[in-house]
Amino acid sequence: MARNLSNLLRLVPLEPGDLPFHPALELSDEQKRPDMRAFVKTILDDAIYLVDETLRTEFKPCSLKSSAPAEAKVQVFKHEITAQEISKVNWMGSKIPRHPPDNVRSEAWFARRSSHANRQAPGTANLNEFDYGLRVDHSEHEGEYTPDVLDTYKVLDWTIPSASSEEEANFGDYKNVTMSNILTVKIIVFEMCHKLPFPLTYRVFPVLVVTAKTGANDFTIAQLPVKIDALKEAFYSNGRNLKEEGKGLKSRPPIIGFVQALQSKCPCWLMSRRSIYTSVERCVLRHNDEIEWTMATASDAKGWLPMWSQKLGIPGAVTKDVGYLIKWIHEKRGARE
């Protein structure tokens, strides 16, 4: 029987009160917050199920593409989750309860899968290189190898509390767990600044990033949208980038966690529209000594561009990321030689 939809991997930003205890989060006491280990494990469980089960049974293939300099072909998939289906999500009765959204909307999911020879050679990379590029310092490295990522800013990170046993410290089967928010982040919250194709402009996507080794030969990264505009630790989402002295990107009005016009005279209502995405990435070394790299994502850049128009560019964008990473790995490899 199909598993219920996750209440966490949704295009519904986590509220500060949905997050585990952190000294910077003052909205509720620690007892009302989710247990950190249960929170992280549930996210990873849901992420792995999405990639290993839901993608294989419910996503439909839509194109097979190349992404130079990667030798591997990239299979692209799509899947629409209707508002009616999302309305049936067990928001409060799940392992990590959270309040349902006021407005339920459909989600357009896209995914890609590619298989890479597990070796240090032109056009491919070994598992250690994939792990370093994707899991280790995930957001920072994404900012290095992806041309459209203009800035990453680390907002919060969590220190994993000491545990009484190795099993507890590793969250059961999951090891080397980090959690963070994007602009740059580990558990971490980052603000990720993206330059989007015309006619869209700049967007900041605040995300909670959870990364872990989820087996002897695999690792998983999950990113969830998060609402951080009330946090003084944020830089773009709360408009602090407009008030503090700086140069270039960090002082540009449009680069905040909400959609904003290029000029500071933009209407205030534009600042209330959040750009959001959620994603899962997973690398697994298969028995044929090939690395299967899978990514699934749903997003909404908001603004005036309708979703049907946004969806046209996503298959090409997710395909390019494969070549971007392989090129970056080759450059890092060359610098060491």
Side-chain angles (χ1 to χ4, degrees), residues 133-142 209 211 221 223 281:
L134 293 173
R135 182 187 63 82
V136 177
D137 295 334
H138 171 80
S139 300
E140 295 93 327
H141 288 168
E142 183 180 349
V209 184
T211 69
I221 303 110
Q223 300 187 85
E281 288 190 75

Side-chain angles (χ1 to χ4, degrees), residues 286-307:
R286 298 300 183 187
H287 295 302
N288 61 355
D289 204 34
E290 289 202 339
I291 298 163
E292 186 179 79
W293 178 19
T294 308
M295 189 278 297
T297 185
S299 63
D300 187 351
K302 302 291 185 177
W304 58 268
L305 199 65
M307 179 54 64

Side-chain angles (χ1 to χ4, degrees), residues 272-289:
S272 65
R273 294 181 179 173
R274 292 179 179 84
S275 302
I276 53 177
Y277 74 78
T278 184
S279 69
V280 173
E281 288 190 75
R282 182 155 161 76
C283 277
V284 180
L285 180 61
R286 298 300 183 187
H287 295 302
N288 61 355
D289 204 34

Side-chain angles (χ1 to χ4, degrees), residues 110-128:
F110 289 87
R112 59 166 163 78
R113 176 171 285 138
S114 51
S115 293
H116 306 262
N118 180 31
R119 63 176 186 268
Q120 287 189 349
T124 190
N126 65 26
L127 186 62
N128 287 336

Side-chain angles (χ1 to χ4, degrees), residues 144-166:
E144 292 180 17
Y145 69 75
T146 308
D148 291 339
V149 175
L150 303 178
D151 193 18
T152 63
Y153 185 84
K154 184 177 181 178
V155 180
L156 298 176
D157 61 5
W158 278 255
T159 300
I160 306 298
S162 59
S164 58
S165 69
E166 181 179 353

Side-chain angles (χ1 to χ4, degrees), residues 239-291:
R240 187 157 60 94
N241 62 305
L242 304 179
K243 303 171 185 176
E244 297 186 2
E245 292 186 2
K247 296 181 180 180
L249 177 69
K250 293 187 177 181
S251 61
R252 289 187 185 180
I255 311 302
I256 57 173
F258 314 100
V259 179
Q260 192 177 43
L262 283 172
Q263 292 79 24
S264 58
K265 61 183 181 182
C266 69
C268 293
W269 61 267
L270 285 173
M271 298 175 62
S272 65
R273 294 181 179 173
R274 292 179 179 84
S275 302
I276 53 177
Y277 74 78
T278 184
S279 69
V280 173
E281 288 190 75
R282 182 155 161 76
C283 277
V284 180
L285 180 61
R286 298 300 183 187
H287 295 302
N288 61 355
D289 204 34
E290 289 202 339
I291 298 163

Side-chain angles (χ1 to χ4, degrees), residues 15 25 81 85 99 115 200 203 229 232 251 257 296 298 305 334:
E15 297 284 343
L25 304 175
I81 304 178
E85 291 175 288
H99 292 288
S115 293
L200 298 174
R203 297 289 191 273
D229 53 294
K232 67 180 186 300
S251 61
L305 199 65

